[in-house]
């Protein structure tokens, strides 16, 4: 299932340059990116993108916020980052894609395939490396933007309304951005800071 399509529609570049170009484009022109950059059956570039975002997040977290990073020492940190790259990111991406597909089945009748859903989830993580910066405001903004990218991507790729896409994305977005990238913790921290709770 995770294969490279030689010439996906939209003509994505491969390698580090293509990865950087996809990162910038999904952040700056998400609708255009999701229209042109998601190809049926072409999950591998999305998987590589999601792993790169997760590794960047883990590395920045280790460097900038050791209180939130679960490992101390260079060797332990390297092992944790390796586990994120090889095991955690791919497993989480595919489990969330399965959940997202089930959710789409409820809210969207005619939809694209599972591989397109995997890609949308992967590319929606684009802002999340910056969520590692020890600033609850920035972390919350990154997670909210990731959630918005997920909704835009689902609406674009599955050709549905933003409302239906938002309903379908609610649970996967909460799990990915709220818990995975600590967006809910950032929100609670800010609410406590503002004496709301």
């Amino acid at each position: 299932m995770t294969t490279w399509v030689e010439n996906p529609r939209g003509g994505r570049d491969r390698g580090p340059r293509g990865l950087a170009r996809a990162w910038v484009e999904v952040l700056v022109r998400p609708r255009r990116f999701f229209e042109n950059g998601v190809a049926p059956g072409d999950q591998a570039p999305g998987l590589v993108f999601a792993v790169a975002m997760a590794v960047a997040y883990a590395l920045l977290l280790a460097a900038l916020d050791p209180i939130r990073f679960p490992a101390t020492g260079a060797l332990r940190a390297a092992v944790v980052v390796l586990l994120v790259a090889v095991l955690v990111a791919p497993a989480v991406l595919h489990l969330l894609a399965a959940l997202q597909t089930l959710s789409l089945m409820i809210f969207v009748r005619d939809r694209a395939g599972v591989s397109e859903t995997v890609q949308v989830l992967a590319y929606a993580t684009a802002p999340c490396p910056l969520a590692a910066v020890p600033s609850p405001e920035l972390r919350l903004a990154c997670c909210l933007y990731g959630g918005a990218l997920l909704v835009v991507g689902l609406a674009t790729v599955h050709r549905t309304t933003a409302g239906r896409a938002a309903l379908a994305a609610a649970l996967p977005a909460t799990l990915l951005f709220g818990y995975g990238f600590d967006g809910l913790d950032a929100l609670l921290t800010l609410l406590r800071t503002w004496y709301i709770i």
Side-chain angles (χ1 to χ4, degrees):
M1 286 199 23
T2 303
T3 58
W4 291 88
V5 172
E6 194 60 37
N7 292 311
R9 77 185 149 89
R12 274 178 307 196
D13 293 333
R14 303 299 194 219
R17 187 179 187 174
L19 194 67
R21 185 172 157 228
W23 184 71
V24 170
E25 193 170 346
V26 77
L27 287 174
V28 177
R29 293 184 294 272
R31 187 169 308 279
R32 179 177 158 193
F33 177 82
F34 287 118
E35 285 172 354
N36 300 318
V38 173
D42 196 20
Q43 288 184 36
L47 178 61
V48 169
F49 187 89
V51 168
M53 296 302 105
V55 167
Y57 173 78
L59 289 172
L60 284 170
L61 200 59
L64 301 174
D65 199 357
I67 294 170
R68 287 177 47 223
F69 194 72
T72 55
L75 182 59
R76 284 187 180 162
V79 169
V80 169
V81 170
L82 183 64
L83 284 173
V84 165
V86 174
L87 192 61
V88 176
V92 167
L93 177 65
H94 284 88
L95 286 171
L96 284 174
L99 179 62
Q100 183 64 77
T101 300
L102 290 174
S103 184
L104 281 165
M105 292 170 104
I106 296 169
F107 295 104
V108 182
R109 268 199 194 132
D110 296 320
R111 60 197 168 277
V114 174
S115 72
E116 288 95 322
T117 304
V118 171
Q119 293 171 70
V120 169
L121 271 162
Y123 291 118
T125 63
C128 291
L130 297 176
V133 175
S135 162
E137 295 87 358
L138 181 59
R139 193 174 351 137
L140 182 60
C142 290
C143 290
L144 288 173
Y145 192 48
L149 288 174
L150 180 57
V151 171
V152 168
L154 291 175
T156 303
V157 169
H158 294 284
R159 302 199 189 292
T160 188
T161 64
R164 285 181 184 271
L167 288 171
L171 182 57
T174 301
L175 293 173
L176 180 59
F177 302 111
Y179 291 104
F181 290 105
D182 286 336
L184 289 175
D185 182 59
L187 177 62
L188 290 174
T189 300
L190 290 173
L191 291 175
R192 282 189 209 104
T193 302
W194 300 330
Y195 303 108
I196 294 174
I197 60 169

